[in-house]
Amino acid sequence: MNRAFNRKKEKSWMHTPEALAKHYIAYNAKFLGNTEVEAPKGTEVVKDAVRKLKFQRHIKKSEGQKTPKVELQISIYGVKILDPKTKDVQHNCQLHRISFCADDKTDKRIFTFICKDSESNKHLCYVFDSEKCAEEITLTIGQAFDLAYKKFLESGGKDVETRKQIGSLQKRIQELETENSELKQQLQDLEQQLMMAHVPATGSVSVQAQSTDVFDMVPFSPGTVLVPTQASNGCPVPPTALPPNIGKDLFGAEPFDPFTCGSADFPPDIQSKLDEMQEGFKMGLTLEGAVFSPDPLDGRC
C-alpha cells in the first residue's frame, strides 16, 4: 500500500501545471460518437459503449461515410471537442461532470470518458480513436483532474462555484455562436435569392413589343397575325388578328357586288334591271356633285 502510494506521489506528469491551468493541451483524434450509459463509471460499462459505437462506425463506413476528425482541448476546466478547421465547439464537457476516463487495453487506439450531460442529466460515454496518443490523452485528462482537485483544496471549495459560473457562461457563448452562424447562413441564402431574382433565366424567350403609330395603333400588315402589345401610354392594346382570307366573307364565299358582275352572270331581265340601277346610281352621284359645286359667276354654292 505504502509503496504504491509512494510511486503515485513520485510520478511525474507529462505537462506543466501552468499549461493546463492557464491554457490547454490540444490533441487530434477521430470521434466515434457518444452514447448513453446506465452507470457513471465502470470498465464493463465502457466496453459495451465501445462495442456499440464501433459497430455503428462499420455500418457508416460501408455506406461510404468517414469517421469525423476532432480537436480535443484539455484543461483543468474540462474537455472541449471542436471542429479542427472551423474551431466550432461541438461539445463542452466540464471537468467536474466527468466521472470516468480510460483507454482500451485490448485496442490501444481507443480511449473514452463518461460525462453527465448538463441538460438531460444523462451519463454519456464519449469514444475516440487515436493511432498514437490514446494513452497520452488519458493521462493528460488524469493530470487535469489532479490539478483541479489541488486547486479545490486550496480555495476551500469556492472554486467549484466559480467553475460552474464559467461553465454556464461558456455554454451561453456557444449558443450565441451557433445562433450567429445560423443568421449568417440565412443572410447568405437571402442574398443568393436576390441575385437569382435579378438575373434572367437562361434560354428564356423575350417578346419584343411592336412599334405603334401616333394613335397607339399597330401598323396594318395584311397576311400577318397581330400579337398583344403594350402601348406607349401604358394601356394594353387588345390582340387582333386579320382574317386568313380577306377576300371572303364569314361563310367562306366571295362577297357579292352587283355592279361588278358581268352580263353573263344573270338572266337578261335581271341584268337589265341591274343596269338601270347602276345608271340611276351614277346619275345621282352626278346631280349630287352639281348641287355642291361652286358657281364661279356669282360666288354662291
Side-chain angles (χ1 to χ4, degrees):
M1 286 288 292
N2 291 335
R3 255 169 58 184
F5 178 80
N6 289 336
R7 284 201 304 268
K8 185 176 180 181
K9 290 288 289 184
E10 294 171 359
K11 182 179 180 179
S12 60
W13 294 106
M14 301 179 61
H15 308 286
T16 62
E18 291 77 12
L20 289 168
K22 297 181 179 181
H23 304 284
Y24 57 84
I25 306 299
Y27 293 98
N28 291 323
K30 293 181 179 180
F31 185 34
L32 274 68
N34 56 20
T35 183
E36 183 181 356
V37 292
E38 298 180 354
K41 57 184 177 179
T43 305
E44 294 300 324
V45 175
V46 169
K47 286 183 179 179
D48 292 339
V50 171
R51 280 194 295 264
K52 179 180 178 180
L53 291 175
K54 275 187 175 181
F55 179 74
Q56 293 179 1
R57 182 178 65 170
H58 289 311
I59 294 177
K60 291 180 180 179
K61 275 190 174 181
S62 64
E63 296 175 351
Q65 300 182 24
K66 295 183 179 180
T67 305
K69 295 181 180 180
V70 295
E71 178 182 325
L72 299 176
Q73 293 182 358
I74 304 172
S75 67
I76 62 172
Y77 300 104
V79 179
K80 287 184 180 181
I81 304 172
L82 301 89
D83 185 286
K85 294 182 179 180
T86 63
K87 302 300 180 180
D88 293 334
V89 179
Q90 299 177 358
H91 303 278
N92 186 14
C93 303
Q94 300 175 19
L95 202 67
H96 68 277
R97 291 184 173 273
I98 297 177
S99 56
F100 189 78
C101 179
D103 56 295
D104 194 345
K105 300 303 179 183
T106 58
D107 190 349
K108 299 296 183 179
R109 302 164 56 99
I110 301 298
F111 67 95
T112 65
F113 64 82
I114 298 176
C115 180
K116 188 176 183 181
D117 186 67
S118 59
E119 295 181 358
S120 62
N121 285 329
K122 296 179 179 179
H123 291 94
L124 302 177
C125 182
Y126 294 79
V127 181
F128 302 88
D129 184 340
S130 179
E131 185 176 358
K132 299 179 180 180
C133 302
E135 184 178 2
E136 180 179 340
I137 295 172
T138 304
L139 293 174
T140 302
I141 295 176
Q143 183 180 358
F145 267 106
D146 184 67
L147 293 173
Y149 182 69
K150 290 179 179 179
K151 192 173 182 180
F152 170 76
L153 295 178
E154 293 173 358
S155 63
K158 295 180 181 180
D159 189 55
V160 176
E161 187 65 27
T162 304
R163 280 187 294 171
K164 288 182 179 180
Q165 293 178 1
I166 294 174
S168 61
L169 290 175
Q170 289 176 343
K171 181 181 177 182
R172 180 56 181 165
I173 291 172
Q174 182 180 354
E175 292 175 353
L176 291 174
E177 289 177 350
T178 304
E179 184 179 354
N180 188 29
S181 301
E182 294 175 354
L183 291 175
K184 284 183 179 179
Q185 185 63 40
Q186 293 178 6
L187 182 60
Q188 292 178 0
D189 294 341
L190 290 175
E191 291 177 351
Q192 187 69 20
Q193 292 176 6
L194 289 175
M195 292 176 61
M196 294 177 63
H198 286 82
V199 176
T202 305
S204 61
V205 179
S206 60
V207 179
Q208 184 176 3
Q210 297 184 4
S211 60
T212 57
D213 56 15
V214 293
F215 302 103
D216 286 338
M217 300 293 291
V218 178
F220 174 74
S221 178
T224 58
V225 180
L226 302 180
V227 297
T229 58
Q230 186 75 18
S232 59
N233 58 3
C235 300
V237 178
T240 58
L242 292 176
N245 191 345
I246 196 170
K248 294 184 180 182
D249 59 12
L250 297 176
F251 302 98
E254 297 291 337
F256 174 72
D257 188 356
F259 303 107
T260 59
C261 296
S263 59
D265 294 335
F266 300 98
D269 54 345
I270 297 176
Q271 183 64 41
S272 62
K273 291 183 179 181
L274 291 175
D275 294 339
E276 293 176 1
M277 292 174 62
Q278 187 173 7
E279 290 295 331
F281 178 74
K282 292 179 179 179
M283 291 178 65
L285 291 176
T286 304
L287 292 174
E288 184 179 358
V291 171
F292 289 96
S293 298
D295 189 351
L297 298 178
D298 56 8
R300 295 177 297 175
C301 295

